[in-house]
């Protein structure tokens, strides 16, 4: 009888264990996997038995890097349609307002998503999902938010679930019905919030199809008071919350989500020191979205030094969406986190592993290489973890374990 299903030896392991330093590195490391769990972790020299009798499969990493499977904790990757025409118009000098007046912007994605059948939506979302997982992503959060009514939000969430099931990838679903005001509620935002609170959240909760509730708290989205109503409804149904907070202006969104012990405050460019302190108190993760920062040519940096000072876990995610983050590459996002937002490569890797797990409330299961956790691992064609943030346009995945 073998002790393990798989044994990886001679690996440069970046465990990314919570609270560890220098990537929680183990040189010449070994990882024993049984039943999809990490059942042994140490150095290759620490294994005394004859190696080839220990596991059904022996994998010699030959000094290459092994990290936890990457986690993309904030995506809008399920949507229909394409907005490259808007990208082109903007770069030809057409104002955003004019594009929106002509039916562009977020509501054009809503129209396309509503029109698409379940299968069309699945087929259109699939390449984005496959691109993400080809880079070693083993857990993906996917939001609704382009349906904006019960039926179409549910269609999006079912597509998200199916993507995960068909590819053996952990998908966490987030209800973002409070993303924009649907056309039929134009000028009646409070009535739409009422629908979300009294019907959409309760029905989704009863179906058990959402893990979390999110909202877009912004001048062009929903107010502090409206967001609070959504969070109260989520709380009534026992659902955790997270928030698109303080992206374009400071509406005290990060403090609000902290007040509800929220999992994460995302974007956070305009977050105040007072809100940072509230996040620290509540254990709310700061999710940085460097792609949106870059595409919008934002100049206001998130209060990263304050996050560091108050030891707030910093996560990093693609924000994969057709408007402000046309990207399904978590590796290029890590590079952008380093260059645009001045994270260190170690912070960037923490941001897509253990801290991203915390942003989803699943840090007991995934996000680091530790005894008992799921054996979601990536073996890379490089030695140093810094290589992942450093070189662009090179997918160094050698093998994914999930
Ligand atoms: N923040 C954004 O920047 C977007 N959504 C959000 O919550 C934009 C999404 C889109 O333009 O489709
Ligand atoms: Fe987003």
């Amino acid at each position: 009888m073998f002790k393990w299903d798989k044994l990886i030896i001679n690996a440069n392991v970046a465990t990314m264990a919570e609270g560890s330093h220098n990537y929680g590195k183990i040189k010449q490391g070994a990882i024993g996997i049984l039943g999809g769990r990490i059942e042994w972790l140490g150095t290759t020299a620490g294994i005394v038995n004859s190696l080839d009798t220990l596991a059904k499969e022996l994998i010699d990493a030959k000094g290459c890097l092994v990290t936890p499977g990457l986690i993309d904790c904030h995506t809008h990757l399920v949507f229909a349609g394409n907005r490259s025409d808007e990208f082109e118009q903007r770069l030809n000098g057409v104002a955003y307002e004019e594009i929106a007046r002509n039916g562009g912007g977020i509501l054009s994605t809503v129209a396309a998503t509503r029109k698409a059948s379940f299968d069309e939506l699945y087929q259109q979302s699939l390449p984005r999902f496959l691109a993400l997982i080809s880079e070693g992503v083993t857990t993906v959060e996917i939001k609704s938010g382009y349906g904006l009514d019960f039926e179409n939000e549910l269609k999006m969430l079912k597509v998200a679930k199916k993507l995960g099931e068909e590819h053996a990838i952990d998908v966490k679903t987030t209800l973002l019905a409070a993303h924009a005001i649907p056309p039929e509620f134009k000028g009646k935002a409070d009535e739409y919030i009422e629908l979300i609170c009294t019907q959409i959240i309760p029905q989704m909760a009863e179906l058990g199809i959402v893990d979390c509730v999110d909202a877009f708290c912004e001048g062009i989205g929903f107010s502090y008071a409206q967001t609070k109503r959504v969070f109260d409804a989520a709380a009534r149904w026992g659902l955790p919350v997270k928030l698109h907070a303080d992206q374009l202006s400071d509406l005290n969104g990060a403090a609000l989500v902290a007040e509800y012990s929220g999992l994460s405050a995302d974007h956070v460019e305009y977050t105040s020191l007072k809100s940072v302190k509230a996040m620290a108190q509540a254990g709310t993760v700061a999710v940085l979205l460097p792609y949106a920062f870059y595409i919008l040519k934002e100049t206001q940096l998130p209060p990263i030094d304050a996050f560091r000072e108050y030891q707030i876990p910093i996560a990093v995610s693609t924000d994969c969406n057709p408007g402000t983050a046309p990207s399904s590459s978590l590796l290029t996002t890590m590079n952008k986190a380093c260059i645009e937002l001045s994270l260190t490569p170690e912070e960037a890797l923490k941001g897509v592993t253990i801290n991203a797990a915390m942003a989803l409330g699943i840090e007991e299961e995934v996000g680091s290489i530790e005894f008992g956790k799921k054996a979601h691992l990536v073996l890379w064609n490089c030695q140093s973890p810094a290589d992942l943030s450093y070189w662009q346009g090179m997918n160094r995945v050698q093998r994914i374990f999930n």
Side-chain angles (χ1 to χ4, degrees), residues 284-344:
T284 299
V285 176
V287 177
L288 305 185
L289 304 165
Y291 237 99
F293 180 93
Y294 152 80
I295 290 285
L296 295 173
K297 300 190 179 174
E298 180 58 70
T299 53
Q300 171 82 29
L301 280 166
I304 292 163
D305 283 336
F307 293 144
R308 289 175 178 138
E309 186 182 337
Y310 288 90
Q311 296 184 0
I312 291 169
I314 298 172
V316 170
S317 170
T318 58
D319 197 14
C320 176
N321 79 63
T324 57
S327 169
S328 32
S329 168
L330 195 52
L331 293 177
T332 52
T333 302
M334 288 167 72
N335 174 271
K336 286 199 161 46
C338 293
I339 302 305
E340 302 276 348
L341 307 180
S342 298
L343 295 198
T344 65

Side-chain angles (χ1 to χ4, degrees), residues 188-208:
K188 299 184 287 187
D190 282 321
E191 286 175 40
Y192 179 51
I193 291 290
E194 184 68 10
L195 178 80
I196 292 173
C197 296
T198 59
Q199 292 185 41
I200 300 181
I201 290 177
Q203 288 172 28
M204 294 295 184
E206 276 181 350
L207 289 173

Side-chain angles (χ1 to χ4, degrees), residues 165-243:
E165 283 156 15
E166 303 251 302
H167 300 88
I169 291 288
D170 287 356
V171 165
K172 291 279 159 188
T173 50
T174 299
L175 179 69
L176 180 60
H179 190 195
I181 300 159
E184 62 276 18
F185 280 90
K186 196 169 177 206
K188 299 184 287 187
D190 282 321
E191 286 175 40
Y192 179 51
I193 291 290
E194 184 68 10
L195 178 80
I196 292 173
C197 296
T198 59
Q199 292 185 41
I200 300 181
I201 290 177
Q203 288 172 28
M204 294 295 184
E206 276 181 350
L207 289 173
I209 195 161
V210 288
D211 298 304
C212 192
V213 172
D214 191 353
F216 187 30
C217 182
E218 193 57 67
I220 58 166
F222 294 92
S223 69
Y224 183 96
Q226 289 163 341
T227 304
K228 211 167 158 44
R229 287 174 64 196
V230 172
F231 283 0
D232 282 331
R236 278 196 295 279
W237 288 90
L239 289 167
V241 294
K242 51 176 57 227
L243 189 64

Side-chain angles (χ1 to χ4, degrees), residues 86-103:
E86 278 177 32
F87 177 76
E88 188 155 29
Q89 283 176 47
R90 265 188 290 153
L91 289 165
N92 278 298
V94 183
Y96 188 75
E97 292 73 26
E98 197 178 332
I99 295 172
R101 257 202 314 277
N102 293 329

Side-chain angles (χ1 to χ4, degrees), residues 86-277:
E86 278 177 32
F87 177 76
E88 188 155 29
Q89 283 176 47
R90 265 188 290 153
L91 289 165
N92 278 298
V94 183
Y96 188 75
E97 292 73 26
E98 197 178 332
I99 295 172
R101 257 202 314 277
N102 293 329
I106 197 165
L107 289 182
S108 73
T109 303
V110 172
T113 303
R114 285 178 166 184
K115 216 169 126 216
S117 68
F118 178 89
D119 287 334
E120 284 162 355
L121 191 55
Y122 181 86
Q123 287 306 330
Q124 289 193 41
S125 305
L126 182 62
R128 293 184 283 272
F129 185 80
L130 292 177
L132 264 189
I133 67 175
S134 74
E135 288 188 344
V137 171
T138 52
T139 304
V140 190
E141 184 258 17
I142 302 178
K143 300 176 195 295
S144 67
Y146 292 116
L148 308 184
D149 59 31
F150 175 74
E151 193 187 318
N152 285 294
E153 290 286 287
L154 183 61
K155 180 174 72 185
M156 290 184 72
L157 293 164
K158 284 185 168 168
V159 166
K161 290 268 186 204
K162 185 174 170 185
L163 286 167
E165 283 156 15
E166 303 251 302
H167 300 88
I169 291 288
D170 287 356
V171 165
K172 291 279 159 188
T173 50
T174 299
L175 179 69
L176 180 60
H179 190 195
I181 300 159
E184 62 276 18
F185 280 90
K186 196 169 177 206
K188 299 184 287 187
D190 282 321
E191 286 175 40
Y192 179 51
I193 291 290
E194 184 68 10
L195 178 80
I196 292 173
C197 296
T198 59
Q199 292 185 41
I200 300 181
I201 290 177
Q203 288 172 28
M204 294 295 184
E206 276 181 350
L207 289 173
I209 195 161
V210 288
D211 298 304
C212 192
V213 172
D214 191 353
F216 187 30
C217 182
E218 193 57 67
I220 58 166
F222 294 92
S223 69
Y224 183 96
Q226 289 163 341
T227 304
K228 211 167 158 44
R229 287 174 64 196
V230 172
F231 283 0
D232 282 331
R236 278 196 295 279
W237 288 90
L239 289 167
V241 294
K242 51 176 57 227
L243 189 64
H244 283 72
D246 313 326
Q247 179 188 5
L248 308 168
S249 59
D250 181 15
L251 292 187
N252 292 316
L256 176 59
V257 70
E259 188 185 319
Y260 286 79
S261 303
L263 289 170
S264 67
D266 301 33
H267 288 290
V268 295
E269 279 87 342
Y270 288 83
T271 295
S272 67
L273 185 59
K274 196 163 157 253
S275 296
V276 171
K277 289 179 182 169

Side-chain angles (χ1 to χ4, degrees), residues 351-381:
V352 298
T353 54
I354 185 67
N355 291 354
M358 290 167 110
L360 298 175
I362 52 175
E363 69 275 16
E364 299 294 320
E365 282 289 271
V366 290
S368 62
I369 303 176
E370 289 181 86
F371 183 83
K373 280 197 176 182
K374 284 190 186 175
H376 286 184
L377 310 169
V378 185
L379 171 60
W380 304 89
N381 275 318

